[in-house]
Amino acid sequence: MKHKILLGYLIASCCSAVSLNAQVFPYQDTSLPISQRVDDLVSRMTLEEKISQMMFNAPSIDRLGIPAYNWWNECLHGVARCKEKVTVFPQPIGIAASFNPEEWQKAAGMIADEGRAVYNAAVKRGNTSERYTGLTFWTPNINIFRDPRWGRGHETYGEDPHLTAEMGIAMVKGLQGNDPDHLKVSACAKHFAVHSGPEPLRHSFNATVSDHDLYDTYLPAFYRLVTEAKVSGIMCAYNRFDGQPCCGSNKLLRKILLHDWGFKGYVTSDCWSISDFIYGHKTHADSISAASDAVLHGTDLECGNIYNSLDQAVKSGFITEDQIDISLKKLFKIRFRLGMFDPADKNPYAHISENVLESDAHRQQALKMAHQSMVLLKNDKSLLPLYNPQIQISAESETKRSIFREKDKTKRSKKESAQHSKSRNKSFVMTSVSAL
């Protein structure tokens, strides 16, 4: 009798274990809306687990089936810095010169295919924690380029807000694809905002512009990418704007981006820009106040490690766990839209293979864009070179030209002196010979 009871207990235990392992939680049910799945997943996480997922190198949480993921990736003109050989397209400043957003959108779709292929290969290898393997591409750069001293103008589409918006929209639509439920990859418009140099001072610089210049020059491209292209990510800039770090800005993030424009995606910091709150801008005393202030203003993800202090920030009353959940849910919504929690047969992009990398079609498109990016300057009426007394030039250029002229004058003087000396020596020799 005892043996029968024991046997029955073991069978019941095994059945219970099988039932537990086979249980499908709501966040695993692909028939449910993404928002419901995200709510369920976040509700099962501890505070420590939540905070770990709010930094770019998010670790795995095995008990919930959350894979490790590195958010940091870029594809400015092709998938960047990966180990695989990929197609390289012209730099954006050249792409802008093509004035052809249709062809650029086609190229962006090819870049997204290659990004998917690299990610799918990383999933098979089990190394999605490595940088430059992910599907969240921090591209495009839609800052306005008006001063060549900035040093990063080649990343942009130039100085015109309208052209920048047109090319940026094409890039976003090509990258993110047109599936109603899934993103092919996630695009991210950067750097928000008023970020066009000076590059060496970006970690402490305070940008001040008029409201007219803000809305007429620096924001139009961001506005159109948010409202028309439905870009899924925004990267806030290193610099301050009107005295506040951009990643903790009331006006830029809380009012304009989230309230006025109704942005529904995620916001990431530029890398280690939250550290600048403390050490660069010196607007915050410590990591606890910096981390909590950034999250409260709408910076959901940190490329850095200051958010490790959010645990202490909650304990100290700077921020609540519910407020952390708001940002965390935005991050997981992106990952769900990328299909990271769906079976492969439910994800239209899960089967893109490495065969697309540097394919003939992609090479041909890159060549076409290179041809269209070329700009020929007509030297009308011999305008060039600009050494002409009738043309006014800057004081700095005139100074440089004066230096060049002095050097040239000195060189000619030395040459003439050498020739004169040689002539005198020859005359002396002839005279001496005659005297003999």
Side-chain angles (χ1 to χ4, degrees), residues 168-179:
I169 288 171
M171 183 64 162
V172 171
K173 287 184 175 180
L175 289 177
Q176 296 191 164
N178 54 15
D179 186 88

Side-chain angles (χ1 to χ4, degrees), residues 306-321:
I306 296 295
Y307 277 13
N308 279 316
S309 297
L310 284 173
D311 181 46
Q312 188 59 46
V314 171
K315 294 175 181 176
S316 302
F318 282 80
I319 192 171
T320 67
E321 187 169 351

Side-chain angles (χ1 to χ4, degrees), residues 18-34:
V18 170
S19 176
L20 182 62
N21 291 333
Q23 182 179 0
V24 176
F25 294 107
Y27 71 87
Q28 298 168 316
D29 186 351
T30 58
S31 68
L32 295 177
I34 285 180

Side-chain angles (χ1 to χ4, degrees), residues 99-155:
F99 291 92
N100 196 338
E102 292 79 15
E103 288 297 329
W104 184 226
Q105 182 170 336
K106 182 178 178 181
M110 294 175 174
I111 293 171
D113 284 341
E114 297 197 5
R116 265 287 172 179
V118 170
Y119 173 76
N120 291 341
V123 170
K124 291 179 181 178
R125 293 193 299 266
N127 66 338
T128 54
S129 62
E130 288 187 14
R131 194 181 299 178
Y132 312 128
T133 61
L135 296 171
T136 41
F137 289 95
W138 293 341
T139 300
N141 183 340
I142 54 171
N143 292 134
I144 301 302
F145 177 44
R146 289 186 171 171
D147 190 330
R149 294 174 299 178
W150 177 21
R152 294 181 64 178
H154 58 283
E155 296 182 26

